[in-house]
Amino acid sequence: MPGTNLTRDEAATRAALLDVTSYSIDLDLTTGDTTFGSTTTIRFTCAEPGADTFADLVGAEVHEITLNGESIDPATAYADSRIALSGLAAENELVVRADCTYSRTGEGLHRFVDPADDRVYLYSQFEVPDARRVYTTFEQPDLKAPFTFNVTAPAHWKVVSNSPTPEPEPLDEGRAVWRFAPTKPMSTYITAIVAGEYHEVQHVYHGKHGDIPLGHYCRQSLVEHLDVDELVKITKQSFAFFEEQFDYPYPFGKYDQLYVPEYNMGAMENAGCVTLRDEYLPRSRQPRSFYEFRCSVITHEMAHMWFGDLVTMKWWDDLWLNESFAEWACYWCEAEVTEFTDAWTGFANARKQTGYRQDQLPSTHPIAADNYDLQAVEVNFDMITYAKGASVLKQLVAWVGLEPFLQGLRQYFKDFEYSNSEFSDLLAALEKASGRELSGWAKEWLQTAGVNTLSPVFELDAEGAYSSFSVSQSAPADWPTLRRHRLGIGLYDEVDGRLVRRTSFEVDVEGPTTQVAELVGEKQPDLLLLNEGDLAYAKVRLDERSLATGIAGLSKLDDSLARAIVWGAAWDMTRDAEMSATDFVALVLANIGQETDAWGVSRIPTYALQAVNLYSAPEHRAELRQRFESGLRELLLAAEPGSDQQLTFARTYAAVAHSDQAIADLEALLDGGLEIEGLAVDQDLRWTLVTALAVNGREGDRIETEAAADNTISGQEHAAAARASRPTAEAKAEAWELAMVRDDVANETQRSVVLAFQRVGQDDVLAPYVEKYLEAADTMWEEKGTQRASTALEFIFPKQLASQELLDRVDAWLESSSANPAAKRYVREGRADVARALAAQVKDAE
Ligand SMILES: [Zn+2]
């Protein structure tokens, strides 16, 4: 029984048989609050008349199926999310009339009623296989076709899709129909429908290949937060950059960006109809890293218009390439043409760290995963796909050179426009352009898992110069591949109180030991930095002197990327139990006040918080937490008024607050008794403070008061999170019900509860949830679906109860449970985090 699965072989068989001529989809969004009408007409040819195949449709009530004018009984033909089609002709017309269900999980056609004003908003989200929740499909990326959408909706709504929005034709009873023109050929997963009482603003980009209409949309209750000038500026900068660099006109006519509610990811690259989470239109003060990330998202989705939408992967095996490319391209674009010129430093401080983390979990996999079916795609879609993939593409660009890389890319877009390709096609184009053989490179980087560690090994002569120098490369035992790296090396000396770069150069590292002749005879610097420029994807180690220099004087280093490498090395060493949590926290407290990189400022304090909560030895955790709390208080009070540092320190102070003084501070900030110059205690910061009080059981009636004053969906989500944070058995029971049991809780509310559930210092009330978690993991994937189950199982794992006993219990479960592999994966990852924490705790106890 296939359920909702689909194998690569089935897809290949179907693609060999069929050629889809066109889709015509009629949606009626006026039939009620829970379902909508969906009539699909697919015209397609069949290479072997008489053959059988199937179409896809999930969770629908099918009223009528007609194939080539002959009626088929849905009761027999529609089962397991498939419509069986037999006796195909050379040319076919399939018509399916059905009712489909609105989603509350962000999968398919999501329906949202804004609590602020009761207005209705819909949007679709289809990647990977969810177009089939909205219309009848051949749900695989390589059966591209033009799509014609006809949408019936209330006449006062906006309706947006991949084609430009037509004038609606009025119908009776306040309804209208929007008849969209056929799209360019595209895959089902990038088609889209967004409808509702959205606010709309239109601009035009005058580009080198002509005009592109730019629409921006959001909910009515967010209009005041739609900073459209900024969004348009970034959009225009990115279009100018990509049209020039890719040497190919934007392929989809108009470009709408729609900020939508309760969105699961950052955004989705629907062709010409990009959807983004509407938290990106913030109502409260946000640090620069927030805007830097939003800019990354905007440019990432735009890069997909060429890489993904114009040229599309044949099957999900190349999903990594799709995402890695968009990731790499977005940072490249951001650094080149937007105000976020330090984007690669931000990448090193934040995004790349998520790739390193993921790659050291037991669930790691080669970047190019073997996605033999849709379930495998679910298991393999993670930060290897995005962050590691982008890091490795950055390394590839360093390996072949940017210009040859772009030459190959430009040819690739032309050769595969509006069709499908595989990674080997791109590799061939790059080999041709660069003259470098790349299949060996691809094999070691893409078909093997794990991260290498690069360390300096040297001897000094009597004068303190290097008499020998090599880079030593190691690999974890489970993933023993050693790779070729293009590696930057930087030498820094302390001059007049600053750490100044003496020189830097690049070398090719290969095998366990690479001699670096350039350094022989060179005087040992105060700081020797491997991975200068962050070209390599590898963990790096600092020698003893360099580590001492880095720790004592990180803020003397002017280059933000060089600092990011030192921060990263220190964090790595802490996670690897080579540096104590206590030392890492001291490093952060001493240097974060002078950090200038936006991501460094906002992300590094969260690493320190993790060091306190998870990696500190239990016997001095209370003392370290107190030191961190006091240190943050000092940093907060000393920070420049209105700065990002000030905001971040306020948030982190709230997150660690536990002493009576800190609690009193939070209360006073909320009540106005304490004012910190430049720190606006706005709605989101108020929720941060209220939640911090709730964690400590000191919230009183503040949650309900705050919720009453903040009648928005964010307010409801924050309130749910604050309630879930409370240290009582009743609060946890109520939160568990919302997060794990009920089906009517919207995706983003569930996520808020899940993220708030596990708290440090609540061991007594959380202890019973180890068994409950494992019990849920047994069946949750099947019972709750991908979105709910993955969110819950990843983030509600009882990590901070780290103990040998917990490891043993989880091991026993892993041994005996027959849970879905995707569910087991999250349990295995949680277990690995616990094991890592226990090792780090031992180091910290020394
Ligand atoms: Zn993407």
Side-chain angles (χ1 to χ4, degrees), residues 127 267 269 300-301 304 322-323 326 386:
E127 193 179 21
E269 68 267 25
H300 173 117
E301 303 313 327
H304 272 311
N322 192 36
E323 294 306 347
Y386 287 84

Side-chain angles (χ1 to χ4, degrees), residues 518-537:
E518 292 93 326
L519 282 175
V520 175
E522 187 83 38
K523 188 171 174 303
Q524 186 190 25
D526 291 320
L527 170 66
L528 179 117
L529 203 57
L530 295 188
N531 206 12
E532 167 93 4
D534 199 31
L535 304 176
Y537 172 82

